[in-house]
Amino acid sequence: MSASPQPGKKARPEALADRVYLALKNDIFDFRLLPGDRFSESEIATRMAVSRTPVRQALFRLQREGFVEVWFRSGWQVRQFDFAWFEDLYDLRIVLECEAVKRLCLMPPARSAELLEPLSAFWINQPRLEDGILVAQHDEAFHIALVTTAGNGEIARIHRELTEKIRIIRRLDFTDEARIDATYREHAHILRAVLNPQHEEAQRLLTDHIAISKAEVRKITLHRLQQARQHTVSST
């Protein structure tokens, strides 16, 4: 992996910082950099063939987002997973999304059906996808669309920020075929309840859907971390 620009082209510092940021974030999300791993700016700069300036910019951005922390005179460290923090975020997600489906249920049925038609087409009518990575992306888009379509811009903004923070563990929910099937089924039930409209039933279904995902993700994440650490030890 390299963040170096194409030969003959000099990338803007902002573009270099963006590339380093995305590369490091992918390393963290894919467990190539594990919670607790320490590294220096110089090590990252050498590996990605850039100066320390874009590396530092990228790391401070990741620090603001809660993925890394700086140790005085000791470099940087990937933050340990704080499952209590993630569970708090999942609880906040339930509050925001339940409010969104309530607002959708209070819309004129023809209007909500029009706004939710793309979601209904994908989750109810179209053939199912089997690729977990793609399903994870569509699952995230489903929940963002529910909140955005409800019409409150500030709720949508907070929800997008929350979604970004939990993506590192949430995507693991789609490594199991049974979880992919459950996601399609549960999304379809939520949509039908909103379109009926039955806001209490929609909120109940949505709450159960997120709570199950939260429990599965914690279990899968612990397992994946153990696997990643064992692989790191065996390869050294």
Side-chain angles (χ1 to χ4, degrees), residues 3-234:
S4 58
Q6 295 179 1
K9 293 185 179 180
K10 187 173 182 179
R12 294 180 297 106
E14 297 84 358
L16 281 177
D18 285 344
R19 283 207 290 273
V20 173
Y21 164 81
L22 290 173
L24 287 173
K25 196 170 189 178
N26 284 333
D27 282 348
I28 293 170
F29 278 24
D30 292 334
F31 298 115
R32 290 187 291 271
L33 281 174
L34 295 172
D37 281 357
R38 291 192 180 188
F39 53 88
S40 69
E41 294 173 8
S42 296
E43 290 169 348
I44 300 299
T46 299
R47 177 160 66 91
M48 298 189 181
V50 298
S51 70
R52 288 178 60 182
T53 298
V55 171
R56 188 176 298 112
Q57 291 172 340
L59 287 170
F60 278 125
R61 183 175 172 186
L62 289 167
Q63 182 189 36
R64 289 193 298 272
E65 294 176 358
F67 295 113
V68 300
E69 52 193 352
V70 63
W71 288 74
F72 183 62
R73 293 182 179 176
S74 300
W76 294 80
Q77 182 178 43
V78 180
R79 282 191 62 181
Q80 298 284 357
F81 275 142
D82 182 349
F83 282 105
W85 181 66
F86 281 117
E87 288 177 355
D88 285 347
L89 293 177
Y90 268 83
D91 290 343
L92 175 58
R93 181 182 161 205
I94 289 173
V95 171
L96 297 177
E97 294 189 24
C98 280
E99 176 62 24
V101 298
K102 178 180 178 181
R103 289 171 180 246
L104 287 168
C105 287
L106 292 174
M107 289 182 181
R111 178 58 177 162
S112 62
E114 177 186 4
L115 292 171
L116 297 176
E117 194 281 329
L119 296 182
S120 298
F122 181 86
W123 293 102
I124 298 176
N125 301 321
Q126 295 177 7
R128 293 186 176 187
L129 299 177
E130 303 296 332
D131 187 313
I133 294 175
L134 289 177
V135 175
Q137 293 170 352
H138 282 283
D139 169 74
E140 186 175 294
F142 169 84
H143 290 275
I144 289 174
L146 280 182
V147 177
T148 302
T149 303
N152 186 300
E154 279 302 294
I155 292 178
R157 179 186 62 78
I158 294 170
H159 183 266
R160 283 193 298 271
E161 293 175 358
L162 180 157
T163 297
E164 177 70 16
K165 290 175 181 177
I166 66 174
R167 185 179 295 147
I168 186 172
I169 63 170
R170 179 179 173 182
R171 64 194 296 187
L172 297 178
D173 197 20
F174 299 94
T175 56
D176 184 349
E177 184 177 341
R179 292 297 303 142
I180 294 174
D181 290 341
T183 298
Y184 269 95
R185 182 175 61 255
E186 291 163 14
H187 282 190
H189 290 163
I190 291 166
L191 285 169
R192 291 189 177 105
V194 172
L195 294 171
N196 270 339
Q198 298 172 310
H199 85 263
E200 290 184 355
E201 176 68 1
Q203 288 177 322
R204 183 190 67 77
L205 290 168
L206 183 61
T207 299
D208 290 347
H209 171 64
I210 296 175
I212 292 170
S213 177
K214 178 174 71 172
E216 289 294 322
V217 160
R218 179 166 185 152
K219 180 172 65 179
I220 295 167
T221 302
L222 289 170
H223 178 64
R224 280 290 302 274
L225 282 175
Q226 183 180 21
Q227 285 183 320
R229 288 198 177 98
Q230 289 174 345
H231 175 75
T232 299
V233 170
S234 63

